[in-house]
Amino acid sequence: MGAFVALMAGLGGAAAWCAVVLVRRGRRGSTENADGLLIEQAARLRAQEMKTDGRAFRAHPHGERGSGQRRH
């Protein structure tokens, strides 16, 4: 019985620690230094380009007709 209580206490402690870590991460504001801002901006641009490329592929999965994209 004591081992079960210890196991539950350990699991509860781990869950509480995870909750504290997640709450602290959520409280962080935006990056305040120039390097971090540049990294975030580059990541946003990459994500936007990937999203746009995905839309273009879904619209024309085999290339646009008459665009000359044939294999030689």
Side-chain angles (χ1 to χ4, degrees), residues 15-25:
W17 178 76
C18 288
V20 168
V21 168
L22 290 174
V23 168
R24 288 183 63 196
R25 284 186 185 174

Side-chain angles (χ1 to χ4, degrees), residues 18-67:
C18 288
V20 168
V21 168
L22 290 174
V23 168
R24 288 183 63 196
R25 284 186 185 174
R27 287 187 182 173
R28 287 186 201 164
S30 61
T31 304
E32 295 178 5
N33 61 13
D35 290 335
L37 291 173
L38 290 173
I39 291 169
E40 288 179 5
Q41 182 181 16
R44 276 194 303 272
L45 289 173
R46 276 195 314 271
Q48 184 179 9
E49 288 172 1
M50 289 173 57
K51 188 176 181 180
T52 302
D53 289 345
R55 286 182 182 160
F57 178 76
R58 279 182 270 148
H60 305 285
H62 302 292
E64 294 177 344
R65 293 185 180 185
S67 63

